[in-house]
Amino acid sequence: MSDQPYLLSIDNGTQSVRVLAFDLNGNEVAKSKVNLEAYVSEHPGWAEQDAEYYWQSLAKAFENFWAQGVVKPEQVRGVSLTTQRYTMINLGEDKKPLRPAIVWMDQRKAEPEKPLSGPLGFAIKMLGLSNLINELRSKARCNWLAQNEPEVWEKTKHYVNLSGYLTLQLTGELKDSVGSIVGYLPYDYKRQDWAKKSDLKWKLLAARREMMPELVKPGETLGHISPAAAEATGLPVGLPMIAAASDKACEVLGAGGSDPHIGCLSYGTTATINTTTPKYIETIPFIPPYTAAIPGHYNTEMMVYRGFWMVSWFKEEFAHYEQRKAKEMGLEAEQLFDELLNQVPAGSMGLMMQPYWSPGVRQPGPEGKGSLIGFGDVHKRAHIYRAILEGLAYELRQGKEQIEKRSRIPITRLRVSGGGSQSDAAMQLTADIFGMPAERPHTFEASGLGAAINCAVGLGIYPDYRTAIDNMTHKGDVFEPHFPTVQLYDRLYKEVYQKMYKRMKPLYQSIREITGYPK
Protein backbone atom coordinates (compact mmCIF):
# COMPACT_ATOMS: atom_id res chain seq x y z
CA MET A 1 0.00 0.00 0.00
CA SER A 2 2.16 2.83 -1.32
CA ASP A 3 -0.16 5.50 0.14
CA GLN A 4 0.01 4.11 3.71
CA PRO A 5 1.55 6.85 5.89
CA TYR A 6 4.25 5.99 8.43
CA LEU A 7 6.12 7.74 11.19
CA LEU A 8 9.84 7.13 11.70
CA SER A 9 11.66 7.00 15.02
CA ILE A 10 15.41 7.02 15.58
CA ASP A 11 16.35 5.40 18.89
CA ASN A 12 20.07 5.81 19.69
CA GLY A 13 20.59 3.83 22.88
CA THR A 14 23.69 2.60 24.65
CA GLN A 15 23.97 -0.79 22.95
CA SER A 16 22.44 -0.07 19.54
CA VAL A 17 20.89 2.48 17.20
CA ARG A 18 17.54 1.59 15.65
CA VAL A 19 15.37 3.04 12.91
CA LEU A 20 11.71 2.12 13.37
CA ALA A 21 8.57 2.71 11.33
CA PHE A 22 5.14 2.83 12.99
CA ASP A 23 1.72 3.11 11.46
CA LEU A 24 -0.81 5.57 12.88
CA ASN A 25 -2.13 2.92 15.28
CA GLY A 26 1.28 2.46 16.89
CA ASN A 27 2.08 -0.86 15.21
CA GLU A 28 5.71 -1.47 14.32
CA VAL A 29 5.95 -2.21 10.60
CA ALA A 30 9.71 -2.18 10.00
CA LYS A 31 12.92 -1.96 11.99
CA SER A 32 16.65 -1.79 11.38
CA LYS A 33 19.20 -2.21 14.15
CA VAL A 34 22.95 -1.59 14.22
CA ASN A 35 24.79 -2.73 17.32
CA LEU A 36 27.10 -0.19 18.95
CA GLU A 37 30.28 -0.48 20.92
CA ALA A 38 28.93 1.25 24.02
CA TYR A 39 32.19 3.05 24.79
CA VAL A 40 35.95 2.90 24.75
CA SER A 41 37.96 3.49 27.91
CA GLU A 42 41.52 4.81 27.87
CA HIS A 43 41.58 5.03 31.67
CA PRO A 44 39.70 3.18 34.43
CA GLY A 45 36.24 4.63 34.86
CA TRP A 46 36.29 6.57 31.60
CA ALA A 47 33.66 6.01 28.92
CA GLU A 48 34.02 7.78 25.57
CA GLN A 49 32.92 7.29 21.99
CA ASP A 50 33.68 9.04 18.72
CA ALA A 51 30.73 11.33 17.94
CA GLU A 52 31.09 10.61 14.23
CA TYR A 53 30.68 6.90 15.04
CA TYR A 54 27.09 7.56 16.15
CA TRP A 55 26.31 9.38 12.91
CA GLN A 56 27.94 6.72 10.72
CA SER A 57 26.07 3.97 12.59
CA LEU A 58 22.78 5.80 12.07
CA ALA A 59 23.49 6.11 8.34
CA LYS A 60 24.17 2.36 8.24
CA ALA A 61 20.90 1.68 10.07
CA PHE A 62 19.02 3.72 7.46
CA GLU A 63 20.77 1.87 4.63
CA ASN A 64 19.62 -1.44 6.08
CA PHE A 65 16.13 -0.06 6.73
CA TRP A 66 15.46 1.01 3.15
CA ALA A 67 17.00 -2.23 1.82
CA GLN A 68 14.16 -4.18 3.47
CA GLY A 69 11.73 -2.60 1.01
CA VAL A 70 8.87 -2.50 3.51
CA VAL A 71 8.66 1.30 3.76
CA LYS A 72 9.39 3.78 0.99
CA PRO A 73 10.72 7.30 1.65
CA GLU A 74 7.63 8.91 0.14
CA GLN A 75 5.43 7.16 2.73
CA VAL A 76 7.19 8.83 5.66
CA ARG A 77 5.34 11.82 7.14
CA GLY A 78 7.93 12.82 9.73
CA VAL A 79 10.81 11.64 11.92
CA SER A 80 11.61 11.97 15.62
CA LEU A 81 14.73 11.21 17.64
CA THR A 82 15.25 9.73 21.10
CA THR A 83 18.69 9.04 22.55
CA GLN A 84 20.61 7.95 25.63
CA ARG A 85 20.85 10.65 28.27
CA TYR A 86 23.79 12.89 29.21
CA THR A 87 26.26 11.83 26.56
CA MET A 88 27.99 15.17 25.92
CA ILE A 89 29.83 16.49 22.87
CA ASN A 90 32.08 19.56 22.47
CA LEU A 91 31.74 21.34 19.14
CA GLY A 92 34.11 23.97 17.78
CA GLU A 93 33.44 27.09 15.72
CA ASP A 94 32.89 24.88 12.66
CA LYS A 95 30.35 22.75 14.59
CA LYS A 96 32.64 19.73 14.38
CA PRO A 97 33.49 17.58 17.43
CA LEU A 98 36.67 18.67 19.23
CA ARG A 99 37.11 15.42 21.16
CA PRO A 100 35.26 12.12 21.70
CA ALA A 101 31.84 12.25 23.34
CA ILE A 102 31.82 11.59 27.08
CA VAL A 103 29.26 8.81 27.50
CA TRP A 104 26.72 8.81 30.34
CA MET A 105 28.46 5.87 32.09
CA ASP A 106 31.69 7.83 32.51
CA GLN A 107 32.83 7.94 36.16
CA ARG A 108 35.51 10.66 36.12
CA LYS A 109 35.07 13.60 38.48
CA ALA A 110 36.28 17.16 38.63
CA GLU A 111 38.47 18.16 41.56
CA PRO A 112 36.55 19.62 44.53
CA GLU A 113 36.06 23.36 44.36
CA LYS A 114 36.29 25.66 47.35
CA PRO A 115 32.90 25.71 49.14
CA LEU A 116 30.72 28.74 48.47
CA SER A 117 31.20 31.42 51.09
CA GLY A 118 28.97 34.10 52.57
CA PRO A 119 25.23 33.83 53.27
CA LEU A 120 24.70 31.47 50.33
CA GLY A 121 27.34 29.04 51.56
CA PHE A 122 25.92 29.19 55.08
CA ALA A 123 22.38 28.46 53.78
CA ILE A 124 23.63 25.47 51.76
CA LYS A 125 25.34 24.06 54.83
CA MET A 126 22.32 24.60 57.11
CA LEU A 127 19.97 22.92 54.61
CA GLY A 128 22.25 19.89 54.40
CA LEU A 129 22.86 20.43 50.67
CA SER A 130 26.66 20.38 50.71
CA ASN A 131 26.88 16.81 49.35
CA LEU A 132 24.35 17.62 46.61
CA ILE A 133 26.27 20.74 45.55
CA ASN A 134 29.57 18.85 45.61
CA GLU A 135 27.99 16.08 43.51
CA LEU A 136 26.87 18.62 40.90
CA ARG A 137 30.26 20.31 40.72
CA SER A 138 32.32 17.11 40.62
CA LYS A 139 30.17 15.10 38.17
CA ALA A 140 29.61 17.92 35.69
CA ARG A 141 31.48 16.99 32.51
CA CYS A 142 32.04 20.66 31.71
CA ASN A 143 33.88 21.21 35.01
CA TRP A 144 36.19 18.25 34.39
CA LEU A 145 36.93 19.46 30.89
CA ALA A 146 37.65 23.00 32.06
CA GLN A 147 40.09 21.64 34.66
CA ASN A 148 41.77 18.87 32.69
CA GLU A 149 41.47 19.86 29.01
CA PRO A 150 41.44 23.68 29.15
CA GLU A 151 42.61 23.97 25.54
CA VAL A 152 39.58 21.94 24.37
CA TRP A 153 37.21 23.84 26.62
CA GLU A 154 38.59 27.17 25.36
CA LYS A 155 37.80 26.12 21.76
CA THR A 156 34.32 24.80 22.64
CA LYS A 157 31.74 26.98 20.92
CA HIS A 158 28.77 24.63 21.41
CA TYR A 159 28.20 22.07 24.17
CA VAL A 160 25.47 19.60 23.25
CA ASN A 161 23.90 16.27 24.18
CA LEU A 162 24.02 13.40 21.68
CA SER A 163 20.43 14.30 20.77
CA GLY A 164 21.52 17.85 19.91
CA TYR A 165 24.46 16.57 17.84
CA LEU A 166 22.31 14.18 15.79
CA THR A 167 19.69 16.92 15.32
CA LEU A 168 22.46 19.14 13.94
CA GLN A 169 23.58 16.36 11.58
CA LEU A 170 20.04 15.75 10.37
CA THR A 171 18.78 19.33 10.04
CA GLY A 172 21.74 21.70 10.27
CA GLU A 173 20.02 23.32 13.27
CA LEU A 174 21.61 23.69 16.72
CA LYS A 175 18.44 22.78 18.58
CA ASP A 176 17.33 20.17 21.08
CA SER A 177 14.21 19.10 22.94
CA VAL A 178 13.68 20.12 26.56
CA GLY A 179 12.77 16.47 27.07
CA SER A 180 16.33 15.45 26.19
CA ILE A 181 18.12 17.69 28.68
CA VAL A 182 19.18 15.48 31.57
CA GLY A 183 22.32 15.57 33.69
CA TYR A 184 24.64 18.02 35.39
CA LEU A 185 23.75 20.98 33.20
CA PRO A 186 22.57 24.58 33.81
CA TYR A 187 18.95 23.58 33.22
CA ASP A 188 15.92 24.64 35.28
CA TYR A 189 13.87 21.45 35.61
CA LYS A 190 10.87 23.29 37.03
CA ARG A 191 10.67 25.92 34.28
CA GLN A 192 11.86 23.40 31.66
CA ASP A 193 14.33 25.80 30.11
CA TRP A 194 17.93 26.88 30.52
CA ALA A 195 18.48 28.44 33.93
CA LYS A 196 18.03 32.18 34.40
CA LYS A 197 21.13 34.35 34.66
CA SER A 198 20.63 34.63 38.41
CA ASP A 199 20.52 30.85 38.92
CA LEU A 200 23.22 29.35 41.18
CA LYS A 201 24.05 26.71 38.56
CA TRP A 202 25.93 29.25 36.43
CA LYS A 203 28.31 29.80 39.37
CA LEU A 204 28.79 26.08 39.92
CA LEU A 205 29.30 24.99 36.29
CA ALA A 206 31.84 25.95 33.62
CA ALA A 207 29.22 25.90 30.84
CA ARG A 208 28.06 29.28 29.50
CA ARG A 209 24.64 30.17 28.15
CA GLU A 210 25.88 30.93 24.64
CA MET A 211 27.25 27.37 24.38
CA MET A 212 23.89 25.73 24.87
CA PRO A 213 21.51 24.90 21.99
CA GLU A 214 18.09 26.44 21.47
CA LEU A 215 15.39 24.37 23.17
CA VAL A 216 11.93 23.45 21.92
CA LYS A 217 9.12 21.45 23.51
CA PRO A 218 8.31 17.84 22.58
CA GLY A 219 5.99 17.86 19.58
CA GLU A 220 7.42 21.08 18.16
CA THR A 221 9.48 21.23 14.96
CA LEU A 222 13.26 21.00 15.37
CA GLY A 223 13.91 21.54 11.67
CA HIS A 224 13.78 19.74 8.35
CA ILE A 225 16.04 17.11 6.80
CA SER A 226 18.93 18.83 5.04
CA PRO A 227 20.27 17.84 1.61
CA ALA A 228 23.46 16.48 3.21
CA ALA A 229 21.47 14.40 5.71
CA ALA A 230 19.17 13.17 2.93
CA GLU A 231 22.18 11.90 1.01
CA ALA A 232 23.53 10.11 4.11
CA THR A 233 20.22 8.61 5.32
CA GLY A 234 17.90 8.35 2.32
CA LEU A 235 15.30 10.50 4.06
CA PRO A 236 13.48 13.00 1.82
CA VAL A 237 14.88 16.54 1.77
CA GLY A 238 12.61 18.84 3.78
CA LEU A 239 11.01 16.05 5.85
CA PRO A 240 9.94 17.57 9.19
CA MET A 241 11.87 16.50 12.26
CA ILE A 242 9.68 16.69 15.37
CA ALA A 243 11.12 17.01 18.87
CA ALA A 244 10.70 14.00 21.15
CA ALA A 245 12.59 13.39 24.42
CA SER A 246 15.23 11.18 26.07
CA ASP A 247 14.98 7.40 25.79
CA LYS A 248 13.53 6.96 29.30
CA ALA A 249 10.96 9.74 28.84
CA CYS A 250 9.88 8.34 25.47
CA GLU A 251 9.72 4.86 26.95
CA VAL A 252 7.25 6.08 29.58
CA LEU A 253 5.13 7.71 26.86
CA GLY A 254 5.31 4.64 24.60
CA ALA A 255 4.27 2.42 27.51
CA GLY A 256 1.13 4.53 27.92
CA GLY A 257 2.33 6.20 31.11
CA SER A 258 0.24 9.34 30.82
CA ASP A 259 -1.09 9.67 34.38
CA PRO A 260 0.29 9.74 37.95
CA HIS A 261 -1.46 6.47 38.90
CA ILE A 262 0.42 4.51 36.18
CA GLY A 263 3.86 3.30 37.24
CA CYS A 264 6.24 2.61 34.38
CA LEU A 265 9.18 0.29 35.04
CA SER A 266 12.07 0.28 32.62
CA TYR A 267 14.24 -2.81 32.79
CA GLY A 268 17.13 -1.33 30.87
CA THR A 269 20.85 -0.77 31.45
CA THR A 270 19.67 1.74 34.06
CA ALA A 271 16.49 0.45 35.70
CA THR A 272 13.86 3.04 36.58
CA ILE A 273 10.33 3.56 37.80
CA ASN A 274 8.48 6.64 36.60
CA THR A 275 5.12 8.31 36.71
CA THR A 276 4.02 11.27 34.62
CA THR A 277 2.49 14.27 36.35
CA PRO A 278 1.65 17.89 35.50
CA LYS A 279 2.88 18.89 38.98
CA TYR A 280 6.50 19.57 39.87
CA ILE A 281 7.24 16.94 42.54
CA GLU A 282 10.69 16.24 43.94
CA THR A 283 10.51 12.53 44.76
CA ILE A 284 13.71 13.03 46.77
CA PRO A 285 13.87 16.55 48.27
CA PHE A 286 16.10 18.93 46.26
CA ILE A 287 16.54 16.40 43.43
CA PRO A 288 14.30 17.54 40.56
CA PRO A 289 11.98 15.42 38.41
CA TYR A 290 12.99 15.07 34.78
CA THR A 291 11.16 16.69 31.88
CA ALA A 292 8.56 14.30 30.42
CA ALA A 293 7.87 13.59 26.76
CA ILE A 294 4.46 15.24 27.22
CA PRO A 295 4.93 19.04 27.17
CA GLY A 296 4.58 20.71 30.55
CA HIS A 297 4.77 17.40 32.45
CA TYR A 298 7.37 15.79 34.68
CA ASN A 299 8.67 12.25 35.25
CA THR A 300 9.04 11.40 38.94
CA GLU A 301 11.90 9.03 38.31
CA MET A 302 13.57 6.72 40.78
CA MET A 303 16.51 4.81 39.32
CA VAL A 304 18.92 1.97 39.88
CA TYR A 305 21.99 3.26 38.05
CA ARG A 306 23.42 -0.20 37.40
CA GLY A 307 20.10 -1.88 36.63
CA PHE A 308 20.02 -4.60 34.02
CA TRP A 309 23.68 -3.83 33.50
CA MET A 310 24.01 -6.40 36.29
CA VAL A 311 22.54 -9.03 33.96
CA SER A 312 25.41 -8.26 31.57
CA TRP A 313 27.82 -8.51 34.49
CA PHE A 314 26.33 -11.88 35.44
CA LYS A 315 26.57 -13.08 31.83
CA GLU A 316 30.25 -12.19 31.55
CA GLU A 317 31.25 -13.58 34.94
CA PHE A 318 28.97 -16.60 35.50
CA ALA A 319 27.13 -17.57 32.31
CA HIS A 320 29.82 -18.96 30.03
CA TYR A 321 27.79 -22.15 29.46
CA GLU A 322 24.73 -20.16 28.32
CA GLN A 323 26.93 -18.05 26.06
CA ARG A 324 28.32 -21.14 24.32
CA LYS A 325 24.88 -22.76 24.05
CA ALA A 326 23.28 -19.57 22.74
CA LYS A 327 25.98 -19.22 20.09
CA GLU A 328 25.30 -22.74 18.90
CA MET A 329 21.56 -22.00 18.74
CA GLY A 330 21.95 -18.58 17.12
CA LEU A 331 20.38 -16.81 20.11
CA GLU A 332 21.31 -14.12 22.63
CA ALA A 333 22.51 -15.64 25.92
CA GLU A 334 19.88 -13.69 27.87
CA GLN A 335 17.16 -15.66 26.10
CA LEU A 336 18.29 -18.76 28.03
CA PHE A 337 18.33 -17.08 31.42
CA ASP A 338 14.67 -17.86 32.17
CA GLU A 339 15.79 -21.46 32.61
CA LEU A 340 18.07 -20.27 35.43
CA LEU A 341 15.27 -18.30 37.05
CA ASN A 342 12.91 -21.23 36.95
CA GLN A 343 15.46 -23.53 38.61
CA VAL A 344 15.23 -21.51 41.84
CA PRO A 345 12.21 -20.89 44.08
CA ALA A 346 10.96 -17.40 44.88
CA GLY A 347 13.16 -15.80 47.50
CA SER A 348 16.31 -17.52 46.16
CA MET A 349 16.43 -19.72 49.27
CA GLY A 350 17.32 -16.73 51.43
CA LEU A 351 19.90 -15.07 49.17
CA MET A 352 19.26 -11.29 49.10
CA MET A 353 20.88 -8.70 46.86
CA GLN A 354 20.95 -4.90 47.17
CA PRO A 355 21.82 -3.36 43.78
CA TYR A 356 24.02 -0.45 44.84
CA TRP A 357 26.83 -1.29 42.42
CA SER A 358 27.51 2.45 42.03
CA PRO A 359 27.65 5.13 44.76
CA GLY A 360 24.98 7.83 44.90
CA VAL A 361 23.98 10.96 46.80
CA ARG A 362 21.23 9.97 49.25
CA GLN A 363 20.38 6.25 49.18
CA PRO A 364 22.89 5.00 48.53
CA GLY A 365 25.24 7.77 49.60
CA PRO A 366 28.78 8.23 48.28
CA GLU A 367 29.87 5.18 50.30
CA GLY A 368 27.31 2.95 48.56
CA LYS A 369 28.18 -0.62 47.61
CA GLY A 370 26.26 -3.62 46.40
CA SER A 371 25.74 -6.57 48.70
CA LEU A 372 24.69 -10.21 48.57
CA ILE A 373 23.75 -11.70 51.95
CA GLY A 374 22.35 -15.03 53.10
CA PHE A 375 24.73 -17.43 51.36
CA GLY A 376 24.56 -21.12 52.19
CA ASP A 377 25.94 -24.32 50.73
CA VAL A 378 22.77 -24.76 48.62
CA HIS A 379 23.39 -21.62 46.58
CA LYS A 380 24.63 -21.82 43.00
CA ARG A 381 24.88 -19.33 40.16
CA ALA A 382 21.16 -19.68 39.35
CA HIS A 383 20.40 -18.41 42.86
CA ILE A 384 22.69 -15.43 42.29
CA TYR A 385 20.89 -14.59 39.05
CA ARG A 386 17.45 -14.77 40.64
CA ALA A 387 18.66 -12.72 43.62
CA ILE A 388 19.89 -10.03 41.23
CA LEU A 389 16.47 -9.67 39.58
CA GLU A 390 14.67 -9.83 42.93
CA GLY A 391 16.97 -7.14 44.34
CA LEU A 392 16.27 -4.85 41.39
CA ALA A 393 12.52 -5.35 41.83
CA TYR A 394 12.74 -4.73 45.60
CA GLU A 395 14.59 -1.47 44.99
CA LEU A 396 12.10 -0.34 42.34
CA ARG A 397 9.22 -1.22 44.69
CA GLN A 398 10.91 1.04 47.24
CA GLY A 399 11.01 3.72 44.54
CA LYS A 400 7.29 3.20 43.88
CA GLU A 401 6.49 3.73 47.55
CA GLN A 402 8.64 6.88 47.65
CA ILE A 403 6.82 8.30 44.61
CA GLU A 404 3.45 7.51 46.21
CA LYS A 405 4.50 9.14 49.47
CA ARG A 406 5.68 12.36 47.82
CA SER A 407 2.87 12.61 45.23
CA ARG A 408 0.11 11.35 47.55
CA ILE A 409 -1.27 9.41 44.59
CA PRO A 410 -1.34 5.59 44.76
CA ILE A 411 0.08 3.71 41.77
CA THR A 412 -2.66 1.32 40.68
CA ARG A 413 -1.25 0.07 37.35
CA LEU A 414 2.20 -1.20 36.44
CA ARG A 415 3.68 -1.15 32.94
CA VAL A 416 7.03 -2.87 32.36
CA SER A 417 9.22 -2.20 29.32
CA GLY A 418 12.89 -2.39 28.37
CA GLY A 419 15.00 -5.40 27.41
CA GLY A 420 14.40 -7.21 30.71
CA SER A 421 10.65 -7.17 30.16
CA GLN A 422 11.04 -9.73 27.38
CA SER A 423 11.57 -12.38 30.07
CA ASP A 424 8.30 -13.99 31.19
CA ALA A 425 9.95 -15.15 34.41
CA ALA A 426 11.16 -11.60 35.19
CA MET A 427 7.65 -10.26 34.52
CA GLN A 428 6.09 -12.80 36.90
CA LEU A 429 8.69 -12.04 39.55
CA THR A 430 7.86 -8.33 39.21
CA ALA A 431 4.11 -8.93 39.61
CA ASP A 432 4.77 -10.99 42.74
CA ILE A 433 7.15 -8.50 44.39
CA PHE A 434 4.92 -5.51 43.65
CA GLY A 435 1.78 -7.47 44.52
CA MET A 436 -0.08 -6.20 41.45
CA PRO A 437 -0.53 -7.17 37.79
CA ALA A 438 2.49 -6.39 35.61
CA GLU A 439 1.57 -5.31 32.07
CA ARG A 440 3.75 -5.30 28.98
CA PRO A 441 3.17 -2.72 26.26
CA HIS A 442 2.19 -4.25 22.93
CA THR A 443 5.70 -3.55 21.57
CA PHE A 444 9.16 -3.97 23.05
CA GLU A 445 10.16 -0.77 21.21
CA ALA A 446 8.45 1.52 23.72
CA SER A 447 11.04 4.32 23.41
CA GLY A 448 10.67 4.38 19.64
CA LEU A 449 6.89 4.34 19.94
CA GLY A 450 7.00 7.26 22.37
CA ALA A 451 9.02 9.27 19.85
CA ALA A 452 6.49 8.33 17.15
CA ILE A 453 3.68 9.63 19.39
CA ASN A 454 5.53 12.95 19.70
CA CYS A 455 5.82 12.96 15.91
CA ALA A 456 2.12 12.20 15.40
CA VAL A 457 0.98 15.03 17.67
CA GLY A 458 3.54 17.45 16.25
CA LEU A 459 2.33 16.79 12.70
CA GLY A 460 -1.30 17.26 13.72
CA ILE A 461 -2.24 13.65 12.96
CA TYR A 462 -3.75 13.56 16.46
CA PRO A 463 -5.04 16.72 18.16
CA ASP A 464 -3.48 16.01 21.57
CA TYR A 465 -1.45 13.50 23.54
CA ARG A 466 -4.44 11.84 25.17
CA THR A 467 -5.91 10.96 21.78
CA ALA A 468 -2.55 9.84 20.40
CA ILE A 469 -1.86 7.61 23.42
CA ASP A 470 -5.33 6.06 23.22
CA ASN A 471 -4.83 5.24 19.56
CA MET A 472 -1.17 4.25 19.51
CA THR A 473 -0.52 2.38 22.78
CA HIS A 474 -2.09 -0.97 23.63
CA LYS A 475 -1.82 -3.42 26.48
CA GLY A 476 0.16 -6.58 25.78
CA ASP A 477 0.66 -9.59 28.05
CA VAL A 478 -0.47 -9.27 31.67
CA PHE A 479 1.15 -11.24 34.50
CA GLU A 480 -1.04 -11.72 37.57
CA PRO A 481 0.51 -11.96 41.05
CA HIS A 482 0.52 -15.34 42.78
CA PHE A 483 -0.83 -14.72 46.30
CA PRO A 484 1.36 -17.15 48.33
CA THR A 485 4.47 -15.81 46.54
CA VAL A 486 3.32 -12.24 47.14
CA GLN A 487 3.20 -12.97 50.89
CA LEU A 488 6.70 -14.45 50.84
CA TYR A 489 8.18 -11.51 48.96
CA ASP A 490 6.34 -8.99 51.12
CA ARG A 491 7.94 -10.37 54.28
CA LEU A 492 11.41 -10.51 52.71
CA TYR A 493 11.00 -6.93 51.48
CA LYS A 494 9.73 -5.47 54.76
CA GLU A 495 11.68 -7.57 57.26
CA VAL A 496 14.99 -7.87 55.42
CA TYR A 497 15.47 -5.71 52.32
CA GLN A 498 14.31 -2.41 53.80
CA LYS A 499 16.71 -2.85 56.73
CA MET A 500 19.78 -3.82 54.73
CA TYR A 501 21.16 -0.42 53.75
CA LYS A 502 20.79 1.15 57.19
CA ARG A 503 22.65 -1.74 58.81
CA MET A 504 25.28 -2.07 56.09
CA LYS A 505 26.00 1.66 55.71
CA PRO A 506 28.55 1.90 58.55
CA LEU A 507 30.38 -1.10 57.09
CA TYR A 508 30.40 0.48 53.63
CA GLN A 509 31.86 3.65 55.15
CA SER A 510 34.61 1.64 56.84
CA ILE A 511 35.39 -0.22 53.61
CA ARG A 512 35.68 3.10 51.81
CA GLU A 513 37.97 4.57 54.47
CA ILE A 514 40.20 1.48 54.53
CA THR A 515 40.42 0.73 50.80
CA GLY A 516 39.85 4.17 49.28
CA TYR A 517 37.20 2.73 46.98
CA PRO A 518 34.93 4.26 45.80
CA LYS A 519 36.87 7.53 45.84
Side-chain angles (χ1 to χ4, degrees), residues 242-497:
I242 306 299
S246 69
D247 52 3
K248 293 295 184 185
C250 282
E251 191 173 349
V252 173
L253 179 59
S258 56
D259 296 291
H261 73 277
I262 301 174
C264 293
L265 267 65
S266 171
Y267 279 159
T269 305
T270 294
T272 59
I273 181 167
N274 269 295
T275 64
T276 301
T277 173
K279 294 182 179 180
Y280 179 87
I281 299 170
E282 293 178 350
T283 309
I284 299 174
F286 301 107
I287 296 180
Y290 294 142
T291 302
I294 299 176
H297 286 63
Y298 305 89
N299 288 148
T300 55
E301 181 171 296
M302 296 290 287
M303 74 162 67
V304 182
Y305 187 73
R306 298 284 187 175
F308 266 69
W309 170 90
M310 282 186 279
V311 173
S312 299
W313 171 79
F314 176 86
K315 180 176 75 172
E316 293 303 319
E317 302 300 331
F318 300 105
H320 299 155
Y321 168 76
E322 282 76 17
Q323 290 190 63
R324 289 194 300 269
K325 186 176 178 182
K327 188 174 182 180
E328 293 170 2
M329 299 172 67
L331 302 172
E332 296 291 333
E334 289 83 352
Q335 293 176 259
L336 305 180
F337 285 3
D338 273 11
E339 296 177 19
L340 289 174
L341 276 181
N342 293 328
Q343 290 173 20
V344 178
S348 301
M349 299 180 75
L351 192 61
M352 299 283 290
M353 190 276 288
Q354 192 152 49
Y356 297 159
W357 255 240
S358 292
V361 181
R362 297 290 178 86
Q363 182 166 339
E367 80 297 322
K369 285 184 171 294
S371 60
L372 276 161
I373 64 171
F375 273 108
D377 59 0
V378 299
H379 291 121
K380 304 183 186 304
R381 63 193 184 95
H383 296 84
I384 294 174
Y385 182 65
R386 188 175 187 98
I388 287 173
L389 296 195
E390 289 174 340
L392 287 171
Y394 287 139
E395 185 65 19
L396 292 171
R397 174 177 166 177
Q398 192 164 267
K400 166 187 174 288
E401 292 171 359
Q402 178 69 9
I403 291 171
E404 291 174 323
K405 178 181 177 182
R406 295 288 292 180
S407 68
R408 299 181 181 179
I409 298 173
I411 292 174
T412 58
R413 298 186 68 181
L414 199 64
R415 305 272 175 83
V416 189
S417 55
S421 70
Q422 298 183 46
S423 163
D424 287 355
M427 290 293 295
Q428 186 59 54
L429 176 154
T430 302
D432 292 335
I433 287 179
F434 279 77
M436 59 195 302
E439 307 171 7
R440 278 186 185 134
H442 73 281
T443 175
F444 291 127
E445 299 291 352
S447 293
L449 176 57
I453 291 171
N454 283 128
C455 194
V457 176
L459 293 173
I461 293 170
Y462 293 108
D464 52 51
Y465 281 91
R466 177 69 62 187
T467 306
I469 290 167
D470 288 346
N471 280 275
M472 296 182 71
T473 67
H474 315 286
K475 185 165 63 176
D477 298 324
V478 179
F479 295 79
E480 297 289 341
H482 180 243
F483 185 65
T485 309
V486 170
Q487 291 180 304
L488 169 73
Y489 277 135
D490 195 55
R491 287 196 63 191
L492 286 170
Y493 172 70
K494 291 176 178 176
E495 298 176 34
V496 182
Y497 187 83

Side-chain angles (χ1 to χ4, degrees), residues 106-181:
D106 192 278
Q107 295 292 303
R108 76 189 83 179
K109 292 184 179 182
E111 289 299 316
E113 297 279 352
K114 182 180 178 181
L116 295 173
S117 58
L120 184 58
F122 179 76
I124 288 171
K125 187 175 181 180
M126 292 302 294
L127 288 170
L129 298 179
S130 296
N131 283 344
L132 199 63
I133 295 296
N134 290 339
E135 179 87 354
L136 170 64
R137 298 173 98 177
S138 67
K139 286 193 173 181
R141 312 273 195 252
C142 57
N143 289 358
W144 186 92
L145 288 162
Q147 288 181 2
N148 295 275
E149 297 182 6
E151 69 290 345
V152 171
W153 190 247
E154 182 67 27
K155 295 177 182 177
T156 299
K157 182 72 172 179
H158 308 286
Y159 187 54
V160 298
N161 284 277
L162 175 60
S163 50
Y165 174 72
L166 291 178
T167 298
L168 173 65
Q169 297 298 103
L170 288 163
T171 68
E173 302 279 355
L174 268 168
K175 293 183 179 181
D176 206 349
S177 168
V178 295
S180 297
I181 307 303

